[in-house]
């Protein structure tokens, strides 16, 4: 059973930084896409970053490119999202998710649909 547990959210002022983590377990895919999603108040879900487990390649949504960095620590089964230069528009619930690389058409993209998702961690950015 796939389990994803996010942490690291909180409240920060605009211009500040946060680092989210996601501890994963039970993933049995041979190769997979790790994803970060967010959903702001009154908004639909927005995919923002992806990482391919096979080659560590990454993709980013325009809204976060240059400010956020997705990375992982295999030894700790942990996915990270470093968020810098935060803006009030970044206020949202943040989720990590995983998708089978095969069903992703062999390419990980930040806007992919996911197979499993965590419970989320709240990020609030004040102006």
């Amino acid at each position: 059973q796939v389990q994803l547990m996010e942490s690291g959210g909180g409240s920060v002022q605009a211009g500040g930084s946060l680092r989210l983590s996601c501890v994963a377990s039970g993933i049995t895919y041979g190769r997979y896409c790790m994803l970060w999603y967010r959903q702001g108040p009154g908004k639909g879900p927005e995919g923002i970053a992806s990482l391919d487990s096979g080659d560590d390649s990454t993709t980013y949504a325009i809204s976060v490119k240059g400010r956020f960095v997705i990375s992982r620590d295999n030894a700790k089964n942990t996915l990270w999202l470093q968020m810098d230069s935060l803006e009030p528009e970044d206020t949202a619930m943040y989720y990590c998710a995983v998708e089978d690389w095969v069903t992703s058409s062999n390419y990980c993209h930040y806007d992919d649909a996911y197979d499993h998702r965590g419970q989320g961690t709240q990020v609030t950015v004040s102006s």
Side-chain angles (χ1 to χ4, degrees), residues 36-56:
W36 282 101
Y37 277 81
R38 68 185 183 184
Q39 186 161 9
K43 299 180 182 179
E46 177 189 14
I48 58 173
S50 71
L51 184 147
D52 186 326
S53 72
D55 61 10
D56 284 335

Side-chain angles (χ1 to χ4, degrees), residues 4-127:
L4 303 167
M5 181 67 70
E6 303 93 337
S7 62
S11 297
V12 64
Q13 289 191 326
S17 298
L18 283 173
R19 189 187 194 194
L20 306 184
S21 64
C22 171
V23 177
S25 63
I27 296 175
T28 59
Y29 305 133
R31 183 171 178 175
Y32 49 91
C33 307
M34 293 300 298
L35 310 164
W36 282 101
Y37 277 81
R38 68 185 183 184
Q39 186 161 9
K43 299 180 182 179
E46 177 189 14
I48 58 173
S50 71
L51 184 147
D52 186 326
S53 72
D55 61 10
D56 284 335
S57 60
T58 58
T59 71
Y60 296 92
I62 290 290
S63 58
V64 305
K65 195 169 186 177
R67 301 187 299 123
F68 292 9
V69 176
I70 185 173
S71 62
R72 65 170 178 164
D73 182 333
N74 283 343
K76 297 180 180 179
N77 294 322
T78 300
L79 181 74
W80 307 96
L81 185 69
Q82 177 66 43
M83 306 188 297
D84 297 323
S85 301
L86 284 162
E87 304 167 351
E89 293 73 24
D90 296 317
T91 294
M93 185 71 81
Y94 284 72
Y95 304 91
C96 72
V98 64
E99 177 194 21
D100 186 347
W101 185 74
V102 173
T103 58
S104 74
S105 301
N106 299 345
Y107 177 72
C108 297
H109 188 266
Y110 63 82
D111 204 27
D112 282 348
Y114 53 82
D115 301 323
H116 305 278
R117 194 195 74 180
Q119 294 300 305
T121 186
Q122 177 68 37
V123 172
T124 302
V125 185
S126 58
S127 56

